[in-house]
Amino acid sequence: MRAAGWGAMAALGGDGLRLLSVSRPQRPSESAALGGPGPGLCCWVSVFSCLSLACSYVGSLYVWKSELPRDHPAVIKRRFTSVLVVSSLSPLCVLLWRELTGIQPGTSLLTLMGFRLEGIFPAALLPLLLTMILFLGPLMQLSMDCPCDLADGLKVVLAPRSWARCLTDMRWLRNQVIAPLTEELVFRACMLPMLAPCMGLGPAVFTCPLFFGVAHFHHIIEQLRFRQSSVGNIFLSAAFQFSYTAVFGAYTAFLFIRTGHLIGPVLCHSFCNYMGFPAVCAALEHPQRRPLLAGYALGVGLFLLLLQPLTDPKLYGSLPLCVLLERAGDSEAPLCS
């Protein structure tokens, strides 16, 4: 074996860095073992399949011609239809990839994509808890700025009428339900199984989010169309959005691999959509700046400390992507242990 220095993402830090620093073994017999084409062709097929999925997902948003902005309920409803159709058909791309490459995952397609019952409760709770810990500072900031106390807030959250209003709000459905579910299905559950046999789990964690980040560039079109800002600011905003969506995509890809479930990334995605990007500048100018900044620092520190134990694969049962790599001859993938 020879070590290939696949760097880890600084944002994950700590033990997460050790986990994502992958030593990728050389697998000269991979093609023969899998009964498919050579690894070079396999990689080209995988990358092209992922690119096709990303283009189909974004393209589905623009099949409807409209002069209305993206937040208009009529536009959102139409996009719901097209995105749900594309997302429902996306597993067919994985099936086609399997036929073209000859790779046999050793598990069912649904299991490989994170639809399984084994370990589902910790897979739903622990990644969400980990993400909420990371957002400890913004959560403190939200509670400080909220005019109601905790008891009143819980009453509002648990009230059936509040949920009824949410379920009839098209923007809420888009941001908290449809976007997290369809994006994680297409950009994680479908892409990671195709990329992992080609390049290994660690590199796939960082490659997969690139498709996710680039897919968000389509917002430039609408911002330019409706003149929402200057051209320079629009492109600067798009570059910033690409950066944090790529980092977030790497995090949810990491969760998908380590838990073997789709539900954790979906819930974390929904939570992050609700919270938005942390308002660090507002925190620096907040009247209670010191405890708030301490909360930010504590949240990041606890996140790095708990990243490995809360995503320990032993909590979630057999990991489908790890089974896939074992069949490909890579039995020492660090993310699998």
Side-chain angles (χ1 to χ4, degrees):
M1 297 198 179
R2 63 180 183 179
W6 296 97
M9 179 173 296
L12 291 175
D15 292 326
L17 283 175
R18 180 178 61 80
L19 285 168
L20 295 181
S21 299
V22 177
S23 294
R24 187 181 172 219
Q26 187 177 8
R27 300 192 297 271
S29 59
E30 178 181 341
S31 176
L34 296 173
L41 180 57
C42 175
C43 284
W44 278 110
V45 172
S46 299
V47 171
F48 180 77
S49 298
C50 293
L51 185 61
S52 299
L53 275 178
C55 292
S56 299
Y57 187 92
V58 175
S60 70
L61 301 174
Y62 293 95
V63 296
W64 310 99
K65 292 184 179 180
S66 175
E67 298 299 323
L68 300 172
R70 66 185 293 266
D71 287 335
H72 192 281
V75 174
I76 295 175
K77 288 179 181 179
R78 290 172 181 172
R79 290 184 169 186
F80 277 2
T81 303
S82 54
V83 162
L84 287 172
V85 169
V86 169
S87 301
S88 300
L89 295 176
S90 60
L92 296 179
C93 188
V94 185
L95 283 175
L96 180 60
W97 163 83
R98 188 180 68 181
E99 293 301 318
L100 291 175
T101 60
I103 292 177
Q104 298 301 321
T107 59
S108 70
L109 180 64
L110 289 178
T111 299
L112 189 65
M113 294 173 59
F115 294 95
R116 61 196 189 99
L117 292 177
E118 182 186 16
I120 190 170
F121 291 111
L125 296 176
L126 296 183
L128 181 59
L129 174 63
L130 183 65
T131 308
M132 293 177 73
I133 289 172
L134 177 62
F135 276 78
L136 178 61
L139 286 171
M140 289 176 57
Q141 192 169 351
L142 187 64
S143 66
M144 289 177 180
D145 296 339
C146 182
C148 58
D149 58 24
L150 180 60
D152 291 336
L154 287 175
K155 287 180 182 178
V156 172
V157 169
L158 298 177
R161 187 173 298 177
S162 298
W163 283 99
R165 279 199 302 267
C166 290
L167 293 175
T168 56
D169 183 346
M170 291 297 104
R171 292 183 62 181
W172 187 90
L173 284 174
R174 179 191 64 191
N175 296 336
Q176 312 308 137
V177 180
I178 302 298
L181 178 60
T182 58
E183 289 180 2
E184 293 305 318
L185 174 62
V186 171
F187 291 94
R188 248 66 71 185
C190 289
M191 290 189 182
L192 281 170
M194 295 191 289
L195 292 173
C198 165
M199 56 184 65
L201 290 178
V205 165
F206 301 118
T207 304
C208 186
L210 298 180
F211 296 101
F212 181 62
V214 170
H216 284 75
F217 274 129
H218 74 92
H219 293 307
I220 295 177
I221 300 173
E222 296 186 0
Q223 290 174 350
L224 289 173
R225 180 182 169 192
F226 292 101
R227 303 292 182 182
Q228 295 178 355
S229 183
S230 67
V231 174
N233 286 339
I234 288 174
F235 279 94
L236 185 63
S237 174
F240 177 71
Q241 187 178 35
F242 170 80
S243 300
Y244 77 73
T245 52
V247 171
F248 173 77
Y251 172 57
T252 55
F254 175 82
L255 292 177
F256 180 83
I257 292 171
R258 293 278 287 176
T259 66
H261 282 273
L262 182 62
I263 188 171
V266 169
L267 292 177
C268 293
H269 194 147
S270 180
F271 173 77
C272 289
N273 277 0
Y274 174 77
M275 294 298 298
F277 193 81
V280 179
C281 293
L284 292 172
E285 299 175 357
H286 200 277
Q288 302 184 55
R289 181 174 64 253
R290 289 186 178 180
L292 194 53
L293 293 179
Y296 270 81
L298 180 61
V300 173
L302 288 175
F303 171 79
L304 297 177
L305 184 66
L306 296 172
L307 179 63
Q308 180 182 358
L310 290 186
T311 61
D312 190 334
K314 294 177 183 177
L315 299 170
Y316 308 103
S318 177
L319 303 183
L321 283 181
C322 296
V323 173
L324 173 63
L325 287 195
E326 286 177 5
R327 291 175 62 86
D330 187 353
S331 59
E332 300 182 9
L335 293 182
C336 294
S337 59

